[in-house]
Amino acid sequence: MKWETVIGLEVHAELSTKSKIFCACTTAYGGEPNTHVCPVCSGMPGVLPVLNREVVEYALRLGFALNCQITRYCKFDRKNYFYPDLPKAYQVSQLYAPICRDGFLEIEADGQKKKIRIREIHMEEDAGKLNHGTQGSFMDFNRCGVPLLEIVTLPDFTNASEVNAYLEKLRETLLYLDICDCKMQEGSLRADINLSVRHPGEELGVRTETKNMNSFKAIGRAIEYEIERQIDILEDGGKIIQETRRWDDDKGTSSGMRSKENAQDYRYFPDPDLLPINIDDDWLLCVKKNLPELAFQKRERYTKDFGISSDEAGVLTCHKNISNLFEKLAQKSGQATESAHLISGEIMRLMNNVNMLPEDLSIDAEKLAVLIGFVVNGKINRASFKETAEAVFTNNADPEKYITEKNLLMVSDDKAVIEAVEKVISENQDSVAEYRAGKEKVFGFLMGMVMKKLGKGGNPELAKNILQDKLNGEKK
């Protein structure tokens, strides 16, 4: 009998505020262990937290972007559990009144559009980190109190491709809102996968939760593995245990960590040290008014205003850094289409060659604009354009100086081109005879020989016209 997969996600997005959620400690990544801590985030007795207003505003931004209802009167709760990386023995979160509820994000996967329902978004603080070594495990509390938004979906996914489509769109939304850097390798974006299987029409099966996934590729592999594992157990007459599991990407397998806790196991209660948050109309209006243009909105505008293909618009909006470069370059050069072709083609190719991430791209838009001016005004050919673009990308070269030094300016002197054409014709009489006999494909070979004679600065359009005139004129 056919099996059906049911998946829900809990995504933790680390916010890019300068300070932590309840104290003034820095959120900077990579400090020496236990150097970004204070009495508040290290859980010293008698201290009182103070809420970072920016965390609330970031949550409101995401709530609007994900079509959520805003909880005007929300509050914090304590989630109580003991673990060495949690110095207070509780985590401040939101169970009873999360700041955002009942939203959705529309995705496209396997050629189909689908709405993924967002159950809630809540604010919470991160825990610390355990560093394991040969001499034991050591606590680093730098991450304690770093602000998080947890985005919880309903179980609307049926396969890994839908999950990845959702995570990609959520990631781009967070980036364009400028509230999370989404560096999964640094733990800024982590996903927990809640998964169960059942026969169609049956009640939901027992679910497992695979924790702290921080790579899209690993998430896809973990989902496929867990689906197969659960089906194998059930078909062998076994039962699924509700548990939390850890994924080992090197082995391609997961292992059980502990039985899955329920809310009552955490003994939630309202945090007595934090006042409820009252979000008034003025605050909501201010946040909504200042929302930035999101990636899907940019894609629609690029195709409509600039006549760019949807595929190219997708490349240009793959990361906020790329779209910022495109818009700056289009404005400086006055050539939106050329700017789009340059970035989505040559620049992305060069980035792929050196495994550069979009967020790490740093290139002078002014220099690229000058380069575009050279090619659209017919001063250099496309081969020289690509060569100079690479020099700008690799060495931050000045395009005008590079073109001059490398003698890349196009040879547009009729006399020089005519001489090159005549020389090619005289040296390749067999090919010329084939062309004149009707074998027109030979023209490409002859054209290549002419451009070789002219060198990097050859004007292909002029060379093509003169070659055609010479061949066809003598043919007659």
Side-chain angles (χ1 to χ4, degrees):
M1 191 175 181
K2 185 179 178 183
W3 291 95
E4 179 178 87
T5 305
V6 181
I7 305 170
L9 292 182
E10 299 168 15
V11 177
H12 291 83
E14 186 178 289
L15 299 183
S16 51
T17 56
K18 298 294 184 186
S19 57
K20 294 182 180 181
I21 186 169
F22 299 124
C23 66
C25 290
T26 179
T27 59
Y29 177 80
E32 287 295 314
N34 300 307
T35 56
H36 299 168
V37 294
C38 71
V40 174
C41 56
S42 61
M44 295 293 110
V47 296
L48 290 174
V50 178
L51 177 60
N52 183 342
R53 179 186 173 94
E54 199 168 32
V55 174
V56 181
E57 297 206 353
Y58 283 12
L60 293 176
R61 280 191 217 175
L62 186 60
F64 283 127
L66 299 186
N67 309 289
C68 292
Q69 300 296 316
I70 305 300
T71 306
R72 300 294 196 94
Y73 187 79
C74 63
K75 55 187 179 178
F76 288 98
D77 307 295
R78 290 187 180 180
K79 178 180 179 181
N80 299 276
Y81 66 95
F82 175 78
Y83 204 69
D85 65 4
L86 196 68
K88 294 184 290 190
Y90 65 85
Q91 178 189 30
V92 178
S93 184
Q94 292 186 299
L95 177 70
Y96 300 111
I99 189 167
C100 307
R101 302 175 188 264
D102 302 327
F104 67 88
L105 185 62
E106 188 171 70
I107 65 167
E108 186 168 346
D110 302 321
Q112 299 290 323
K113 288 186 176 181
K114 184 175 184 178
K115 276 187 179 179
I116 302 300
R117 294 171 295 167
I118 310 292
R119 192 185 77 194
E120 67 179 61
I121 302 171
H122 60 259
M123 300 176 286
E124 64 183 24
E125 61 180 346
D126 208 347
K129 183 180 179 182
L130 285 174
N131 294 320
H132 305 288
T134 55
Q135 296 182 341
S137 296
F138 299 90
M139 276 75 76
D140 178 7
F141 293 144
N142 281 350
R143 208 170 63 186
C144 283
V146 168
L148 301 174
L149 292 181
E150 183 172 351
I151 305 106
V152 184
T153 76
L154 287 167
D156 287 348
F157 303 96
T158 60
N159 57 51
S161 62
E162 289 180 356
V163 168
N164 274 322
Y166 169 83
L167 290 172
E168 287 280 6
K169 192 161 185 181
L170 178 61
R171 178 178 177 274
E172 75 176 18
T173 302
L174 291 164
L175 285 169
Y176 276 84
L177 289 172
D178 201 23
I179 64 176
C180 176
D181 63 24
C182 296
K183 293 180 179 178
M184 298 184 81
Q185 69 276 17
E186 295 180 5
S188 297
L189 195 66
R190 313 188 293 269
D192 300 341
I193 306 162
N194 293 289
L195 185 150
S196 64
V197 297
R198 66 179 177 184
H199 293 304
E202 292 181 348
E203 292 184 359
L204 289 174
V206 176
R207 65 186 171 92
T208 61
E209 181 180 27
T210 307
K211 295 283 286 185
N212 290 329
M213 303 294 297
N214 61 359
S215 129
F216 290 163
K217 185 177 179 181
I219 286 168
R221 294 180 68 205
I223 287 172
E224 296 300 336
Y225 173 85
E226 185 61 16
I227 292 171
E228 188 175 339
R229 188 188 75 86
Q230 290 193 19
I231 290 174
D232 286 346
I233 290 172
L234 293 172
E235 289 184 343
D236 286 343
K239 290 185 177 181
I240 304 300
I241 300 170
Q242 184 172 328
E243 63 181 348
T244 299
R245 299 183 66 82
R246 177 190 289 113
W247 174 252
D248 186 326
D249 202 42
D250 291 331
K251 296 179 180 177
T253 61
S254 66
S255 56
M257 294 168 59
R258 59 181 181 269
S259 61
K260 179 75 177 111
E261 302 91 343
N262 292 311
Q264 59 267 29
D265 296 321
Y266 290 114
R267 296 175 289 115
Y268 280 94
F269 64 85
D271 193 301
D273 292 336
L274 288 162
L275 293 172
I277 306 163
N278 189 14
I279 303 170
D280 60 21
D281 290 340
D282 289 341
W283 195 357
L284 284 178
L285 187 63
C286 181
V287 172
K288 199 168 189 177
K289 183 180 176 182
N290 290 296
L291 283 176
E293 187 179 34
L294 297 178
F296 79 92
Q297 294 167 327
K298 285 184 182 291
R299 284 193 285 273
E300 291 173 0
R301 179 166 62 85
Y302 291 173
T303 55
K304 180 182 177 183
D305 294 354
F306 302 135
I308 294 168
S309 71
S310 57
D311 287 344
E312 197 164 46
V315 174
L316 295 173
T317 55
C318 68
H319 193 280
K320 190 177 180 182
N321 198 27
I322 302 296
S323 65
N324 286 345
L325 174 63
F326 164 66
E327 293 187 10
K328 193 180 294 183
L329 181 55
Q331 188 271 326
K332 287 181 178 295
S333 68
Q335 300 285 337
T337 304
E338 277 292 344
S339 299
H341 293 342
L342 174 58
I343 295 171
S344 64
E346 194 60 19
I347 299 301
M348 294 302 288
R349 181 188 70 81
L350 292 167
M351 289 171 61
N352 288 335
N353 286 348
V354 295
N355 294 318
M356 179 183 288
L357 296 172
E359 56 263 37
D360 296 328
L361 175 64
S362 177
I363 193 166
D364 192 331
E366 190 73 53
K367 290 180 178 179
L368 292 180
V370 170
L371 176 57
I372 286 175
F374 271 91
V375 76
V376 297
N377 291 320
K379 293 182 178 180
I380 59 174
N381 60 32
R382 287 288 167 180
S384 299
F385 178 69
K386 289 178 69 174
E387 180 182 328
T388 310
E390 184 168 358
V392 175
F393 175 87
T394 306
N395 301 314
N396 195 29
D398 178 273
E400 190 168 5
K401 187 177 179 182
Y402 184 88
I403 287 166
T404 302
E405 288 179 350
K406 298 293 184 180
N407 198 27
L408 299 180
L409 285 171
M410 272 208 292
V411 178
S412 296
D413 178 9
D414 285 14
K415 185 178 178 182
V417 177
I418 290 170
E419 286 178 359
V421 168
E422 289 177 343
K423 197 163 187 181
V424 167
I425 289 174
S426 67
E427 292 174 354
N428 297 275
Q429 286 296 310
D430 289 345
S431 297
V432 171
E434 287 181 23
Y435 175 79
R436 288 173 176 162
K439 198 173 180 181
E440 295 191 354
K441 286 184 179 181
V442 179
F443 184 84
F445 165 75
L446 294 170
M447 181 67 185
M449 297 304 293
V450 172
M451 293 304 295
K452 189 174 181 181
K453 294 280 187 191
L454 291 171
K456 293 179 180 179
N459 184 330
E461 195 62 33
L462 181 60
K464 178 183 176 183
N465 292 337
I466 290 175
L467 179 61
Q468 283 179 331
D469 287 345
K470 288 286 182 183
L471 292 171
N472 294 334
E474 293 183 21
K475 183 179 179 181
K476 294 174 183 176

